[in-house]
Amino acid sequence: MTNRKPDPSELDLTDVVWRVSSHSGGGGDCVRIGTKDGYLLVGDSKNPDRLPHVFTPGEARAWVLGAKDGEFDDLLDM
């Protein structure tokens, strides 16, 4: 049996503690992150009523480690 990643509409998000990066400068140009039931949630800080994306710990770890290694730095040159 394979564990299924939940759809965000299936999660009770009322008690999620959301965090935003200190690098956002308070201008609203930021995503927000939180956790629920062992999943990482990534949401839009400007549209908090929009459902967040849900990532497994493995997915989140792979992205964070890649970001730390600079694998996505070219995306900042938009």
Side-chain angles (χ1 to χ4, degrees):
M1 182 174 191
T2 303
N3 286 340
R4 181 183 66 81
K5 185 168 47 173
D7 185 275
S9 65
E10 299 170 349
L11 298 172
D12 177 6
L13 303 175
T14 57
D15 63 344
V16 173
V17 177
W18 293 101
R19 297 164 46 184
V20 296
S21 170
S22 61
H23 295 276
S24 68
D29 292 328
C30 196
V31 296
R32 62 186 191 155
I33 63 167
T35 59
K36 180 70 178 186
D37 299 338
Y39 295 97
L40 178 76
L41 308 174
V42 179
D44 183 346
S45 63
K46 291 180 293 240
N47 297 294
D49 293 332
R50 221 179 250 174
L51 290 173
H53 297 281
V54 178
F55 297 94
T56 66
E59 290 170 331
R61 185 175 298 106
W63 189 87
V64 169
L65 292 175
K68 285 182 175 183
D69 285 345
E71 293 179 19
F72 309 111
D73 287 356
D74 62 305
L75 299 174
L76 299 176
D77 296 329
M78 295 185 287

